[in-house]
């Protein structure tokens, strides 16, 4: 088996209920009786006085900042947000602004006054602050607006991850809490909350840190076989080796990283099925993939070992080339001796080493269309090799549909990929985002080869939506793919703008036009 680290030290220490305040912040246990809540910050809870005292060194750093950061919002300001009678979902943008204000104050206090680094766990305490599922108020906001002696929200006794501010609101939320969440989702919110806790507890109980590992199967298929229909079928295959102490929760955790190669293979199968002129998966010897809009997740929490699974599944493949392109991609790595590196190091498994297959990769911190233009220009000037379009492009959870203007970074990139007939896989966290991406691609006349749908190879690790009433998301939850134009006569708008800009640069207008 191969192993790569996927968890930071911070994330390995706290379960999701510990962050919510309904499990012990130190040991993640749920006591049979009442929890011990800190009387000062009234945010963190412990299963006993012993755990509270054992955590006091960490707690005293964040206790006062947690209490202080909420004070900039006066009762009058909060009343403007929470008492205007709008439906709860319309409060989400305002609550997002409240979080940004709190996070800014929190970071300043920690970094400049206490001289302490602000870690992800610190910010999670603000981001995952419990809120009433009906009115969206936190316990602090209830204290400021209504009841100064109010202590904490009521939580669901079963999942401990859904909250209401009163018995009346609990009654209003009860039916919704125990209904199926959304289309394509057969679990209730309560069931999903319990599963999310099991997954996070699996990580905490194993004590994973940055030096520990998550296992990937090491085996080469002798011949190409289509993917099974689900993760359950995949894990039932003895060749997909699991740790000897594996569990259902551990298998779900494994899917978070394995979703990357499996989604790529699944998308390629869809393209092979719908567009017969592409090289078949069973016969490819080389494959170049552009990860467009890449960020640290695809590089740091999995590394090249994750992509090795593509080599394992495609027996004829000898060389896999990966181009990680995106303005936010990590492009500096620290080696074992503290040296800076430009690329990741890949240690092939024994079977890949014996077979002589290889992974080649490069990292480009730029928008994809800018990356293409740079290399095309250099090639035209004789300063580099001819640019080669990738065999496949993939955008993981890009949110491209959130772009509202032609000038966005995704418009020229999408048009460039479509114009050059590059098969492109797009994934998204939730159904609404997938629909927005689909509309975005439609506006750019992209030919949708397979429409958005629930991805059978999505991560089964679910994360609760923050600052909203309900809902969950997961990595690569929905998938769709496009290739080429749906309208042969379509003229890319971005290309027209670029042509006009170039013409303007070539032509010097009289001064009268600039007055």
């Amino acid at each position: 088996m191969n192993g790569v680290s996927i968890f930071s030290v911070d994330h390995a220490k706290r379960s999701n209920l510990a962050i919510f305040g309904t499990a012990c912040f130190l040991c993640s246990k749920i006591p049979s009786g009442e929890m011990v809540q800190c009387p000062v910050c009234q945010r963190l809870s412990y299963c006993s006085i012993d755990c509270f005292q054992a955590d006091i060194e960490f707690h005293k750093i964040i206790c006062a900042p947690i209490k202080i950061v909420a004070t900039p919002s006066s009762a009058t300001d909060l009343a403007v947000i929470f008492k205007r009678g709008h439906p709860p979902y319309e409060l989400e943008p305002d609550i997002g602004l409240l979080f940004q204000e709190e996070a800014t104050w929190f970071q300043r206090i920690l970094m400049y006054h206490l001289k302490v680094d602000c870690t992800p766990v610190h910010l999670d305490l603000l981001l995952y602050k419990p809120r009433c599922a009906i009115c969206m108020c936190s316990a602090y906001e209830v204290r400021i607006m209504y009841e100064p002696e109010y202590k904490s929200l009521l939580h669901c006794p079963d999942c401990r991850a859904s909250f209401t501010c009163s018995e009346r609101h609990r009654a209003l939320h009860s039916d919704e809490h125990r209904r199926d969440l959304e289309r394509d989702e057969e679990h209730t919110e309560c069931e999903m909350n319990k599963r999310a806790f099991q997954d996070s507890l699996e990580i905490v109980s194993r004590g994973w840190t940055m030096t520990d590992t998550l296992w990937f199967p090491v085996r080469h298929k002798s011949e190409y076989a289509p993917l099974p229909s689900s993760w359950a079928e995949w894990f039932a295959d003895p060749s997909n080796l699991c740790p000897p102490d594996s569990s259902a929760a551990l298998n779900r955790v494994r899917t978070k990283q394995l979703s990357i190669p499996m989604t790529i293979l699944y998308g390629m199968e869809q393209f092979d099925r719908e567009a017969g002129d592409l090289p078949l998966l069973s016969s490819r010897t080389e494959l170049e993939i552009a990860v467009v809009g890449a960020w640290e997740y695809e590089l740091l929490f999995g590394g090249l070992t994750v992509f090795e699974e593509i080599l394992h599944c495609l027996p004829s493949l000898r060389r896999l080339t990966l181009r990680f392109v995106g303005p936010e991609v990590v492009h500096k790595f620290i080696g074992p001796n503290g040296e800076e590196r430009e690329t990741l190091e890949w240690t092939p498994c024994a079977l890949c080493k014996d077979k002589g297959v290889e992974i080649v990769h490069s990292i480009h911190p730029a928008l994809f269309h800018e990356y293409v233009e740079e290399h095309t220009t250099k090639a035209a000037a004789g300063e580099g090799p001819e640019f080669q379009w990738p065999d496949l492009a993939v955008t993981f959870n890009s949110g491209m549909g959130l772009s509202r203007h032609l000038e966005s970074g995704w418009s020229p990139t999408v048009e460039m990929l479509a114009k050059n007939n590059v098969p492109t896989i797009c994934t998204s966290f939730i159904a609404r985002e997938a629909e927005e991406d689909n509309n975005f691609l439609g506006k750019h006349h992209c030919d949708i080869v397979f429409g958005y749908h629930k991805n059978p190879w999505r991560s089964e690790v679910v994360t609760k939506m923050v600052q909203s009433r309900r809902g969950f998301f997961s990595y690569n939850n929905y998938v769709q793919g496009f290739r080429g134009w749906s309208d042969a006569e379509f003229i890319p708008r971005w290309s027209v703008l670029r042509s006009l800009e170039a013409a303007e640069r070539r032509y010097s207008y009289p001064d009268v036009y600039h007055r």
Side-chain angles (χ1 to χ4, degrees), residues 256-332:
K256 191 168 185 179
Q257 272 59 47
L258 284 168
S259 175
I260 293 175
M262 299 301 283
T263 296
I264 289 174
L265 290 168
Y266 175 73
M268 292 174 70
E269 283 190 351
Q270 302 306 303
F271 281 119
D272 280 0
R273 183 179 298 115
E274 301 296 335
D277 60 326
L278 295 175
L280 295 175
L281 287 170
S282 57
S283 60
R284 290 177 183 266
T285 58
E286 293 191 4
L287 176 64
E288 179 169 331
I289 299 173
V291 181
V292 182
W295 57 302
E296 68 172 0
Y297 184 86
E298 289 87 16
L299 291 172
L300 298 185
F301 300 134
L304 299 181
T305 304
V306 172
F307 294 90
E308 190 178 271
E309 179 66 7
I310 297 174
L311 289 170
H312 294 171
C313 292
L314 304 182
S316 62
L317 198 61
R318 310 293 299 180
R319 180 186 179 97
L320 175 61
T321 301
L322 301 168
R323 310 291 185 202
F324 297 95
V325 188
E328 298 181 12
V329 71
V330 174
H331 60 283
K332 292 291 183 182

Side-chain angles (χ1 to χ4, degrees), residues 284 426-427 451:
R284 290 177 183 266
C426 308
T427 70

Side-chain angles (χ1 to χ4, degrees), residues 172-316:
L172 289 173
H173 180 57
S174 177
D175 182 56
E176 182 181 56
H177 183 55
R178 299 182 186 281
R179 283 203 312 261
D180 289 353
L181 274 168
E182 57 179 46
R183 62 186 181 187
D184 303 325
E185 186 56 74
E186 65 274 15
H187 301 289
T188 67
E189 180 184 37
C190 194
E191 291 167 342
M192 293 284 274
N193 280 335
K194 286 187 280 190
R195 200 179 85 175
F197 176 59
Q198 291 171 358
D199 295 347
S200 65
L201 196 61
E202 185 81 28
I203 299 169
V204 173
S205 63
R206 290 174 180 269
W208 274 320
T209 66
M210 294 184 73
T211 59
D212 290 311
T213 59
L214 180 70
W215 299 103
F216 294 90
V218 173
R219 45 82 181 104
H220 275 275
K221 295 184 177 180
S222 58
E223 58 182 8
Y224 171 73
L227 296 177
S229 61
S230 66
W231 282 118
E233 188 177 342
W234 192 86
F235 281 115
D237 185 344
S239 68
N240 297 322
L241 300 175
C242 300
D245 59 344
S246 189
S247 64
L250 175 57
N251 285 345
R252 288 198 298 267
V253 171
R254 293 178 67 205
T255 66
K256 191 168 185 179
Q257 272 59 47
L258 284 168
S259 175
I260 293 175
M262 299 301 283
T263 296
I264 289 174
L265 290 168
Y266 175 73
M268 292 174 70
E269 283 190 351
Q270 302 306 303
F271 281 119
D272 280 0
R273 183 179 298 115
E274 301 296 335
D277 60 326
L278 295 175
L280 295 175
L281 287 170
S282 57
S283 60
R284 290 177 183 266
T285 58
E286 293 191 4
L287 176 64
E288 179 169 331
I289 299 173
V291 181
V292 182
W295 57 302
E296 68 172 0
Y297 184 86
E298 289 87 16
L299 291 172
L300 298 185
F301 300 134
L304 299 181
T305 304
V306 172
F307 294 90
E308 190 178 271
E309 179 66 7
I310 297 174
L311 289 170
H312 294 171
C313 292
L314 304 182
S316 62

Side-chain angles (χ1 to χ4, degrees), residues 12-273:
K13 288 181 178 178
R14 319 290 177 184
S15 69
N16 66 331
L17 294 190
I19 297 294
F20 285 141
T22 55
C24 181
F25 193 72
L26 184 67
C27 69
S28 286
K29 290 181 180 177
I30 300 173
S32 56
E34 289 292 321
M35 299 192 68
V36 177
Q37 186 184 66
C38 172
V40 179
C41 67
Q42 296 179 295
R43 175 67 177 86
L44 302 184
S45 299
Y46 298 84
C47 65
S48 65
I49 291 293
D50 291 341
C51 273
F52 188 14
Q53 292 175 342
D55 193 48
I56 198 65
E57 291 302 314
F58 178 87
H59 188 88
K60 69 182 181 181
I61 294 173
I62 60 173
C63 184
I66 287 176
K67 185 174 180 63
I68 291 170
V69 293
T71 56
S73 298
S74 68
T76 302
D77 294 336
L78 293 177
V80 171
I81 296 174
F82 291 100
K83 293 184 178 180
R84 60 189 182 186
H86 286 186
Y89 64 85
E90 291 188 7
L91 297 176
E92 293 174 16
D94 292 319
I95 291 172
L97 292 175
L98 285 177
F99 164 73
Q100 292 176 8
E101 182 182 3
E102 290 179 355
T104 300
W105 274 83
F106 196 65
Q107 289 173 308
R108 286 178 180 173
I109 294 171
L110 288 179
M111 297 175 67
Y112 298 116
H113 295 280
L114 301 179
K115 308 299 181 184
V116 175
D117 290 334
C118 188
T119 69
V121 156
H122 291 136
L123 291 178
D124 280 351
L125 292 173
L126 303 181
L127 189 63
Y128 288 90
K129 179 192 298 183
R131 291 186 173 278
C132 175
I134 298 298
C135 67
M136 297 291 285
C137 284
S138 68
Y140 166 78
E141 287 145 6
V142 173
R143 283 194 288 271
I144 291 296
M145 292 188 294
Y146 305 111
E147 191 177 335
E149 300 303 317
Y150 187 86
K151 288 190 175 181
S152 61
L153 300 177
L154 304 174
H155 60 260
C156 169
D158 291 335
C159 69
R160 303 178 72 89
S162 179
F163 303 88
T164 49
C165 65
S166 64
E167 290 292 350
R168 185 173 70 87
H169 280 187
R170 172 182 277 181
L172 289 173
H173 180 57
S174 177
D175 182 56
E176 182 181 56
H177 183 55
R178 299 182 186 281
R179 283 203 312 261
D180 289 353
L181 274 168
E182 57 179 46
R183 62 186 181 187
D184 303 325
E185 186 56 74
E186 65 274 15
H187 301 289
T188 67
E189 180 184 37
C190 194
E191 291 167 342
M192 293 284 274
N193 280 335
K194 286 187 280 190
R195 200 179 85 175
F197 176 59
Q198 291 171 358
D199 295 347
S200 65
L201 196 61
E202 185 81 28
I203 299 169
V204 173
S205 63
R206 290 174 180 269
W208 274 320
T209 66
M210 294 184 73
T211 59
D212 290 311
T213 59
L214 180 70
W215 299 103
F216 294 90
V218 173
R219 45 82 181 104
H220 275 275
K221 295 184 177 180
S222 58
E223 58 182 8
Y224 171 73
L227 296 177
S229 61
S230 66
W231 282 118
E233 188 177 342
W234 192 86
F235 281 115
D237 185 344
S239 68
N240 297 322
L241 300 175
C242 300
D245 59 344
S246 189
S247 64
L250 175 57
N251 285 345
R252 288 198 298 267
V253 171
R254 293 178 67 205
T255 66
K256 191 168 185 179
Q257 272 59 47
L258 284 168
S259 175
I260 293 175
M262 299 301 283
T263 296
I264 289 174
L265 290 168
Y266 175 73
M268 292 174 70
E269 283 190 351
Q270 302 306 303
F271 281 119
D272 280 0
R273 183 179 298 115

Side-chain angles (χ1 to χ4, degrees), residues 343-364:
T343 57
L344 287 167
E345 185 176 10
W346 174 53
T347 303
C349 70
L351 294 176
C352 282
K353 190 173 182 179
D354 290 343
K355 191 177 179 182
V357 295
E358 61 179 335
I359 294 179
V360 177
H361 78 288
S362 60
I363 298 168
H364 310 274

